[in-house]
Amino acid sequence: MSSNGVRKVSLAVIKRLPKYHKCLGELLQNNVERISSQELGRLLGFTASQVRQDLNNFGEFGQQGYGYNVEQLYNEIAKILGLNVEHKVVIIGAGKLGQALAGYRDFEKHGFKILAMFDVDPKLVGSKVRDIPVYDVKDLIYYVNENEIDIAIIAVPRESAQEIADALSKTLIKGIWNFAPVEVDAGPDILVENVHLLDSLLTLSYRMNESKLMERLEKEN
Amino acid sequence: MSSNGVRKVSLAVIKRLPKYHKCLGELLQNNVERISSQELGRLLGFTASQVRQDLNNFGEFGQQGYGYNVEQLYNEIAKILGLNVEHKVVIIGAGKLGQALAGYRDFEKHGFKILAMFDVDPKLVGSKVRDIPVYDVKDLIYYVNENEIDIAIIAVPRESAQEIADALSKTLIKGIWNFAPVEVDAGPDILVENVHLLDSLLTLSYRMNESKLMERLEKEN
C-alpha cells in the first residue's frame, strides 16, 4: 500500500480521472507512446506534481526519466473508472431528455450500453428511440433484475423521481444517474450521482456577475 | 475589504453557492425566519465553520447569537449569483437536448428567460418549442445583438459546437453554457461553462468500481 493511502482517494482526484482518461485517449489516437508528467500536466492545465500525486493514488505508474507509457496508463485508468467491463443501462423517462441521452454516442463508446427505456405515457410505450425499445414503467423492476442491469438513468419530472428511485431500490442495480432536479435516495446499496444542471447555470451566472460584485464589495468594505 | 480577501473567492465556494441558495429558498417557503450556521450546515452537509467561512467571502452576513436572517441571506446570495436581474437566453440546437432544456421550468423560475432557439434543420426552423420560436441559425448573430441576449446555450452536435462559438464571439453575449461534448472557446470576453455529462457518468462508474479496485490495490501493494 502506497504511503498516500489508497483507501482515501479524494473526490477531487476522482473528478479529475475522466480528464486524464480523455486526454490519454487523444494522445493514443495520435500515436504518442510516452509522456512526462510535465507534458501531461500542461495538456490538462495541472502542475506536474499534481499529476504525479493524482496518479500515485492508484499505484506506481510512471518511471523516473521515462515518464508514462500512454497506452498502459490509458488502460489502467479505464480499469480504475470501471470501463473495462460493459455496463448495462436503462433510461427511465422517454421524453425529450431521455431521448437526448439515448442519442448520446459517447456513452456507448465508453461501454455504457443502453438496453431499454421506460415511460408511463401509452403513446411512448411500445415505440423505439433509435433501436432502443420503450417499455411500460410497471415492468421496470422485473426487467432490471432479469437483465442484470447495472445503471439506471432517471430522466423523469421532479415529481416522479423519488418514486422511481424507490422502485429501483428493490432491484439489484448498482448505480443511479439522476437528471431530475431533486436529490433522490435509493437506500445504502445503490450509489446515486445527481446531475445538478441548474447549479452549473448558476455558476455561469455568478462568474458573469463577479466583476460587478467585487467592485461593490470593495466599496462597502 | 474583509481579511478573507474578496478578490479571491475560490471556485469551490462558488460551486457551493447554488446549494445555499436552494436550501435558503426552501427555508423561506417554510416560513423559517432565521437560522444558525450549525443548523444551515447540518441541512447542507457542511460544518458550521465551513458555512461561516463560505459566507464571510461576501461580507458580514451573520450576527453572533442570532444567526442568519433567512430572507436577507437568500436575497443577498441571489444578488451574488446574478439572479436579481433577468437573463435573456437563446438555445442553439432545437433537437432533443435543446427541446429538453427549453422545457426545464427551473431556469425561468430563476430569471433565465429563453427567448429563441436556432437550428439548421429546415424542418425545425419556423416551428415552436412550447412558445419559443425556432429561427435559422444564420440569423443568430443579428438576433443576439438586436435583442441584447446575455447567455447562449449550445446544444448542437460536437462537430458544430466550435463553429457556433465562433459566431457567438462576434456578438455582445456574456456567457456560453455548452452542452456539446467538446470544450469550446469564444475569446477572452465571453465566459464559457462546459457541461461534461460523460465525466459525471464516469464518476458514478468509478464509485461503483471502487471497492473492487481498492481490494486489488491492497493485494498488489
Side-chain angles (χ1 to χ4, degrees), chain B residues 14-192:
Chain B
I14 296 164
K15 297 246 179 225
R16 283 195 289 272
L17 281 183
K19 299 189 200 306
Y20 284 99
H21 182 257
K22 190 176 167 200
C23 181
L24 290 162
E26 284 163 3
L27 290 168
L28 206 53
Q29 278 193 329
N30 293 320
N31 300 313
V32 178
E33 280 179 28
R34 59 181 202 171
I35 191 163
S36 65
S37 49
Q38 282 84 357
E39 180 61 12
L40 189 53
R42 198 187 58 78
L43 291 171
L44 287 159
F46 308 153
T47 63
S49 99
Q50 172 86 80
V51 168
R52 286 192 297 265
Q53 237 177 61
D54 281 353
L55 299 177
N56 264 341
N57 278 294
F58 304 98
E60 298 295 322
F61 286 130
Q63 258 179 275
Q64 196 114 42
Y66 173 89
Y68 299 104
N69 178 311
V70 171
E71 187 174 0
Q72 199 186 324
L73 186 58
Y74 176 79
N75 290 332
E76 204 54 40
I77 291 183
K79 254 192 249 173
I80 291 170
L81 288 171
L83 302 181
N84 54 327
V85 290
E86 193 178 82
H87 291 284
K88 293 181 178 176
V89 182
V90 296
I91 301 178
I92 301 105
K96 297 284 189 280
L97 178 62
Q99 290 181 35
L101 293 169
Y104 202 77
R105 285 160 297 169
D106 269 15
F107 298 157
E108 189 144 347
K109 227 169 65 189
H110 286 83
F112 298 91
K113 188 154 174 54
I114 300 165
L115 293 180
M117 299 175 76
F118 293 85
D119 208 289
V120 286
D121 185 345
K123 278 189 296 245
L124 292 170
V125 172
S127 71
K128 285 194 172 190
V129 176
R130 290 162 67 226
D131 286 333
I132 306 164
V134 180
Y135 298 127
D136 193 313
V137 78
K138 69 177 194 294
D139 298 326
L140 177 64
I141 297 178
Y142 177 80
Y143 183 94
V144 164
N145 284 334
E146 195 69 10
N147 294 280
E148 299 180 325
I149 301 298
D150 294 305
I151 295 177
I153 302 178
I154 296 185
V156 301
R158 173 200 300 267
E159 302 76 46
S160 322
Q162 186 54 51
E163 197 184 319
I164 297 296
D166 290 341
L168 289 168
S169 72
K170 295 173 192 136
T171 70
L172 298 170
I173 217 154
K174 297 191 206 102
I176 291 177
W177 200 26
N178 174 37
F179 280 81
V182 58
E183 310 245 335
V184 300
D185 177 44
D189 298 327
I190 299 177
L191 289 164
V192 179

Side-chain angles (χ1 to χ4, degrees), chain A residues 1 81 96 99 205 221, chain B residues 1 81 96 99 177 205 221:
Chain A
M1 192 160 153
L81 289 171
K96 298 283 189 281
Q99 291 181 35
S205 170
N221 283 283
Chain B
M1 191 159 157
L81 288 171
K96 297 284 189 280
Q99 290 181 35
W177 200 26
S205 170
N221 283 282

Side-chain angles (χ1 to χ4, degrees), chain A residues 1-2 6-9 11 14-15 17-19 21-22 57-60 76 78-85 87 95-97 99-101 104-107 109-110 112 150-153 157-159 174-177 179-183 191-218 220-221, chain B residues 1-2 6-9 11 14-15 17-19 21-22 57-60 76 78-85 87 95-97 99-101 104-107 109-110 112 150-153 157-159 174-177 179-183 191-218 220-221:
Chain A
M1 192 160 153
S2 92
V6 289
R7 287 233 157 258
K8 285 181 191 161
V9 181
L11 192 63
I14 296 165
K15 297 245 180 228
L17 281 183
K19 298 188 200 309
H21 182 257
K22 190 177 168 197
N57 279 293
F58 304 99
E60 297 295 322
E76 204 54 40
K79 254 192 249 172
I80 291 169
L81 289 171
L83 302 181
N84 54 327
V85 289
H87 290 284
K96 298 283 189 281
L97 178 62
Q99 291 181 35
L101 292 169
Y104 202 76
R105 287 161 296 169
D106 269 15
F107 298 158
K109 227 169 65 188
H110 287 82
F112 299 91
D150 295 304
I151 296 177
I153 303 178
R158 174 201 300 267
E159 302 76 47
K174 297 192 207 99
I176 291 177
W177 200 27
F179 280 81
V182 58
E183 310 245 335
L191 290 164
V192 179
E193 185 79 16
N194 292 295
V195 178
H196 296 286
L197 283 187
L198 184 63
D199 284 11
S200 162
L201 180 57
L202 295 189
T203 303
L204 175 63
S205 170
Y206 169 85
R207 290 166 60 209
M208 288 165 58
N209 194 40
E210 193 170 26
S211 54
K212 259 188 300 174
L213 173 74
M214 291 306 162
E215 273 168 37
R216 205 196 78 198
L217 284 172
E218 285 209 325
E220 284 176 9
N221 283 283
Chain B
M1 191 159 157
S2 92
V6 290
R7 285 232 159 260
K8 285 181 189 160
V9 181
L11 193 63
I14 296 164
K15 297 246 179 225
L17 281 183
K19 299 189 200 306
H21 182 257
K22 190 176 167 200
N57 278 294
F58 304 98
E60 298 295 322
E76 204 54 40
K79 254 192 249 173
I80 291 170
L81 288 171
L83 302 181
N84 54 327
V85 290
H87 291 284
K96 297 284 189 280
L97 178 62
Q99 290 181 35
L101 293 169
Y104 202 77
R105 285 160 297 169
D106 269 15
F107 298 157
K109 227 169 65 189
H110 286 83
F112 298 91
D150 294 305
I151 295 177
I153 302 178
R158 173 200 300 267
E159 302 76 46
K174 297 191 206 102
I176 291 177
W177 200 26
F179 280 81
V182 58
E183 310 245 335
L191 289 164
V192 179
E193 184 80 15
N194 292 296
V195 178
H196 295 286
L197 283 187
L198 185 64
D199 285 10
S200 162
L201 180 58
L202 295 189
T203 302
L204 175 63
S205 170
Y206 169 84
R207 290 166 61 209
M208 287 165 56
N209 194 40
E210 193 171 23
S211 53
K212 261 188 299 177
L213 173 74
M214 291 306 162
E215 274 168 36
R216 205 195 79 198
L217 284 172
E218 285 209 324
E220 283 176 11
N221 283 282

Side-chain angles (χ1 to χ4, degrees), chain A residues 171-189:
Chain A
T171 70
L172 298 170
I173 216 153
K174 297 192 207 99
I176 291 177
W177 200 27
N178 174 37
F179 280 81
V182 58
E183 310 245 335
V184 300
D185 177 44
D189 298 328

